[in-house]
Amino acid sequence: MNSLFKIIFFSVISLLAAVDAKAQTVGKSDSGVINQNGHHDAIIWPNPVRIGELVKIKSSTLIKSVEIMNVIGKEIQCEHNDRLIFSDWILNLKIQDAGTYLAKITFDDDKVIVKKFMIR
């Protein structure tokens, strides 16, 4: 069981590193948010974030929801934007443990991206 967890964990980390490397090669708009060829992206700031600090998510596209998960996919917190009026969010995280987390961001057109961030 422990070795299966390690395999899954390192696979997820490797995949996220490859996605981050690819994203860094694409040009950025004035807002700092990558948005070329219809692809959506968002910036999580600050990263890493301190326990109890507010997290800002910036996008050039309206955000429908943000789901915070740990690295094995367990949902920790979920916030919905029912009126679809926000493209920039400020989240008060309910997480009290340091570590690596994932933000699953769903946009108004139901496209989804996953961003990695750390809490220290």
Side-chain angles (χ1 to χ4, degrees), residues 55-71:
V55 173
K56 297 147 194 85
I57 300 176
K58 182 177 180 91
S59 174
S60 61
T61 308
L62 291 177
I63 298 172
K64 187 183 212 178
S65 66
V66 176
E67 180 181 342
I68 307 298
M69 302 174 289
N70 61 17
V71 292

Side-chain angles (χ1 to χ4, degrees), residues 83-100:
R83 293 183 283 164
L84 293 175
I85 57 174
F86 303 118
S87 61
D88 296 347
W89 279 37
I90 297 176
L91 291 176
N92 185 5
L93 294 178
K94 298 172 180 143
I95 301 169
Q96 296 299 317
D97 297 321
T100 301

Side-chain angles (χ1 to χ4, degrees), residues 29 49 55 74 113 118:
S29 68
V49 62
V55 173
K74 180 181 176 191
I113 62 169
M118 297 179 67

Side-chain angles (χ1 to χ4, degrees), residues 16-30:
L16 290 172
V19 169
D20 284 346
K22 173 75 173 154
Q24 291 175 4
T25 64
V26 178
K28 292 186 179 180
S29 68
D30 292 338

Side-chain angles (χ1 to χ4, degrees), residues 45-55 93 95-101 117-120:
W45 183 84
N47 191 7
V49 62
R50 291 188 177 101
I51 292 174
E53 189 174 17
L54 296 176
V55 173
L93 294 178
I95 301 169
Q96 296 299 317
D97 297 321
T100 301
Y101 293 87
F117 69 100
M118 297 179 67
I119 296 180
R120 58 179 169 154

